[in-house]
């Protein structure tokens, strides 16, 4: 997730901007830049790489001025590079823009601007904003009006900082979906994506609300709603320390990332949905060609590690149900050494949050050596996987800092569900009317995730009674059996409790021998046709002394006699339920870790990116 900063005051803006950007490094980035007005022109310095590289560039090519904006970029549109780094300028270099978020209609706007003769320099969605502001500025000669008109045309999410050479006494800032704060100093004011960036200078901030616009001068700040009406807000006095401020007030990154899921699921889904009359009617993957190959696909092969592998296991159920095409899922470390059978007409998918996992990369290379076209699902633009795969579908989840994957997993599921729906539609294994019905339901998933996050009391209560259990087993059937794998991994990673997943029907074939009074069994139950069978499994373990916890959307009381605690989740199509049912399990793992005194962000023995075998 990008970081934005801005400064107007009496100091030299350059060191203030770089210093503020350093406080946003925790957000993750791949390039950085600043734009400073030096009294005559807007000068830009930007580079691919770390802030150190930017500092080295500035040391050689100094810029001074008391007005500027800065940015750390986490690539979404276009690879990490000097050119794609922010700030971006209009053609004459008189308007500079930094942006955090995703402009969903950028391709349409870019085509239109190009038809008006505008020449683009970068591959970013952000450059559209600089040219669009310029377009409106030429009519109004008023930078505030130009920004207001521009944001009205943007679909998607944005936090913006804008400089205009003709108005060297102000910075314009605006936001929708992405965070943006205004820091209030004495004869100086700031903008930033997050509070830590300004804490060294001030503790008084405005938190901008949806679609609000701020105009910052040296000695005051004016605030407006989206229609340009002036508004009054009370500043907030921050009394957190820097480290809790970085986590947005959450105690840990893992908890913050769990709570980011409604937003990042929207970011991953919305730009790929085609809307008509307010309703989604189609899916478009601009990055993929849904040609004869997908239509005629005889087999899909999915290879990944850890959590990404679990997303692949869920996808097997989804693809097979919707698109009626067989799916083989394999862990990359096994796949690479088992002389796998590969066919040129396979749809071959690797999944990797980091895009740097050694075994996944080896599997990708093996497939390519065998002439197989590889599609990657990854979160990291510019990663090795993204560079070596033939096609890339990005999960726009933003950087995941906690070692235990949460938002990367659900956004991987979102991409896989969308691929399965599109494949089913073109293969005609679902009807046109079902396709639209499923798209509407898909569009509601982020809101349903939000609902789960708003009610954590029963999970916390259950954790407080069970965080010391010796063994935790996760069971389920069908989709829920796949989800159980990820539930068990999450719990063992951060709580160090012994946890395993079993297909519920397998209990009697061995695992039930382990059940005793020191066992907790967590059942995920989202497939109504299988409630009865699962309820019998729960009763079997309960009668042998286990405590039981059920995650379900059921309203009929199917589990009232077998469950010690039930966590209700919203209902949806069964193939979308894994995006919902994992949320209570993520929270369960997080709270168990905290109760046991562990740091969930940095579990023992684990690394975020496994770049060696
Ligand atoms: O970056 P990748 O998705 O390729 O990583 C794969 C696994 O190492 C990763 O999912 C790991 O299992 C996480 N710690 C899970 O929380």
């Amino acid at each position: 997730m990008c970081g934005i900063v801005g400064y107007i005051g009496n100091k030299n803006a350059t060191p203030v901007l770089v210093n503020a950007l350093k406080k946003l490094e925790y957000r993750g980035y791949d390039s950085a830049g600043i734009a400073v007005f030096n009294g005559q022109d807007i000068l830009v310095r930007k580079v691919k790489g770390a802030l150190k590289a930017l500092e080295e560039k500035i040391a050689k090519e100094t810029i001074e001025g008391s007005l500027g904006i800065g940015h750390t970029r986490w690539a979404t549109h276009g690879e990490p590079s000097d050119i794609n780094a922010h700030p971006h300028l209009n053609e004459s270099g008189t308007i500079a823009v930094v942006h955090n978020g995703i402009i969903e209609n950028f391709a349409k706007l870019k085509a239109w601007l190009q038809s008006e003769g505008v020449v683009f320099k970068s591959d970013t969605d952000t450059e559209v904003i600089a040219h669009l502001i310029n377009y409106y500025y030429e009519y109004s000669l008023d930078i505030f009006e130009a920004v207001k008109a521009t944001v009205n045309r943007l679909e998607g999410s944005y936090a913006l900082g804008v400089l205009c050479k003709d108005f060297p006494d102000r910075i314009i800032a605006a936001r929708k979906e992405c965070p943006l704060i205004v820091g209030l100093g004495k004869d100086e004011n700031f903008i930033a994506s997050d509070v830590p960036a300004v804490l060294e200078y001030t503790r008084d901030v405005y938190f901008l609300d949806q679609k609000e616009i701020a105009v910052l001068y040296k000695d005051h700040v004016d605030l407006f709603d989206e229609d340009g009406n002036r508004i009054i807000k009370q500043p907030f006095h921050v009394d957190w320390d820097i480290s809790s401020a970085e986590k947005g007030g959450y105690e840990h990154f893992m908890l913050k990332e769990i709570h980011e899921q409604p937003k990042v699921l929207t970011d991953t889904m919305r730009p790929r949905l085609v809307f008509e009359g307010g309703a989604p009617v189609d899916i478009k993957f601009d990055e993929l060609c849904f040609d004869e190959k997908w239509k005629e696909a005889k087999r899909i092969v999915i290879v990944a590690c850890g959590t990404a592998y679990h997303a692949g296991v869920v996808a097997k159920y989804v693809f097979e149900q919707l698109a009626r095409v067989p799916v083989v899922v394999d862990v990359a470390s096994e796949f690479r050494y088992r002389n796998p059978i590969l066919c040129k007409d396979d749809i071959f998918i690797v999944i990797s949050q980091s895009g740097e996992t050694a075994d996944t990369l080896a599997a990708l290379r093996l497939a390519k050596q065998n002439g197989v076209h590889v599609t990657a699902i990854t979160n990291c633009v510019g990663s090795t996987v993204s560079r070596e795969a033939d096609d890339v579908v990005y999960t726009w989840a933003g950087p995941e800092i906690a070692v235990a994957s949460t938002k990367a997993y659900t956004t991987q599921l979102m991409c896989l569900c969308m691929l399965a729906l599109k494949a089913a539609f073109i293969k005609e294994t679902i009807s046109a009317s079902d396709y639209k019905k499923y798209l509407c339901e898909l569009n509601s998933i982020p809101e349903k995730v939000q609902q789960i996050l708003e009610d954590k009391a029963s999970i916390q209560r259950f954790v407080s009674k069970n965080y010391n259990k010796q063994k935790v087993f996760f069971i389920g059937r069908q989709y829920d059996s796949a989800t159980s794998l990820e539930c068990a991994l999450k719990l063992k990673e951060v709580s160090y409790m012994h946890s395993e997943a079993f297909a519920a029907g397998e209990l009697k074939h061995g695992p039930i021998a382990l059940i005793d009074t020191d066992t907790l069994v967590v059942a995920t139950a989202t497939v109504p046709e299988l409630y009865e069978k699962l309820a019998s499994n729960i009763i079997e373990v309960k009668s042998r002394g286990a405590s039981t916890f059920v995650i379900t959307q059921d309203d009929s009381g199917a589990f009232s006699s077998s469950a010690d605690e039930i966590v209700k989740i919203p209902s949806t199509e069964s193939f979308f339920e894994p995006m919902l049912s994992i949320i209570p399990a993520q929270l369960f793992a997080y709270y168990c870790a905290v109760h046991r005194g562990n740091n969930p962000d940095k579990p023992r023995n684990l690394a975020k990116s496994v770049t060696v075998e």
Side-chain angles (χ1 to χ4, degrees), residues 262 265-266 268-275 280-285 318 322 410-422 434-449 571-573 575-580:
L265 282 166
T266 306
T268 300
M269 170 188 67
R270 278 291 303 271
R272 295 178 169 121
L273 286 181
V274 180
F275 285 83
V281 292
D282 200 0
I283 294 172
K284 63 170 170 45
F285 279 101
V318 183
L322 288 172
T410 45
T411 52
Q412 285 161 0
L413 292 183
M414 178 57 83
C415 289
L416 289 159
C417 283
M418 294 182 91
L419 286 170
L421 280 171
K422 183 79 187 183
D434 276 348
Y435 183 50
K436 287 190 186 151
K437 183 177 89 178
Y438 298 153
L439 292 179
C440 280
E441 186 53 34
L442 188 76
N443 198 26
S444 73
I445 293 296
E447 204 181 302
K448 292 183 175 178
V449 171
S571 76
T572 180
E573 298 294 342
F575 33 84
F576 300 149
E577 284 286 0
M579 285 186 272
L580 304 184

Side-chain angles (χ1 to χ4, degrees), residues 305-308 351-355 357 403-405 412 489-490 493 610:
C305 299
T307 288
I351 311 171
S352 173
Q353 185 286 131
S354 62
T357 301
V403 167
S405 196
Q412 285 161 0
L489 178 67
K490 229 40 350 141
E493 278 187 296
V610 184

Side-chain angles (χ1 to χ4, degrees), residues 140 153 194 198 228 264 350 403 587:
S140 64
R153 291 201 55 189
D194 204 352
V198 302
V264 298
V350 291
V403 167
L587 289 165

Side-chain angles (χ1 to χ4, degrees), residues 375-393:
T375 297
I377 297 179
T378 183
N379 195 33
C380 294
V381 179
S383 60
T384 313
V385 161
S386 76
R387 283 184 276 114
E388 296 194 15
D390 298 295
D391 298 315
V392 187
V393 174

Side-chain angles (χ1 to χ4, degrees), residues 393-526:
V393 174
Y394 287 108
T395 51
W396 287 315
E400 200 177 53
I401 313 280
V403 167
S405 196
T406 53
K407 61 178 183 169
Y409 173 71
T410 45
T411 52
Q412 285 161 0
L413 292 183
M414 178 57 83
C415 289
L416 289 159
C417 283
M418 294 182 91
L419 286 170
L421 280 171
K422 183 79 187 183
F425 181 60
I426 62 168
K427 287 171 81 63
E428 296 177 22
T429 51
I430 56 173
S431 67
S433 64
D434 276 348
Y435 183 50
K436 287 190 186 151
K437 183 177 89 178
Y438 298 153
L439 292 179
C440 280
E441 186 53 34
L442 188 76
N443 198 26
S444 73
I445 293 296
E447 204 181 302
K448 292 183 175 178
V449 171
Q450 184 61 42
Q451 279 172 36
I452 301 172
L453 291 170
E454 275 162 20
D455 181 16
K456 299 185 275 284
S458 51
I459 298 170
Q460 286 167 310
R461 192 170 51 240
F462 198 69
V463 167
S464 66
K465 288 188 241 157
N466 288 285
Y467 69 92
N468 265 332
K469 283 278 189 268
Q470 281 296 314
K471 295 163 275 185
V472 185
F473 298 141
F474 290 86
I475 61 168
R477 288 170 179 264
Q478 216 201 57
Y479 290 102
D480 302 325
S481 144
T483 299
S484 296
L485 296 170
E486 177 57 10
C487 299
L489 178 67
K490 229 40 350 141
L491 186 66
K492 65 172 73 123
E493 278 187 296
V494 297
S495 74
Y496 319 143
M497 292 160 87
H498 185 113
S499 58
E500 298 299 335
F502 303 113
E506 276 292 291
L507 275 173
K508 287 200 194 72
H509 300 283
I512 203 164
L514 295 170
I515 304 290
D516 60 20
T517 51
D518 218 354
T519 314
L520 169 64
V521 174
V522 180
T524 308
T526 67

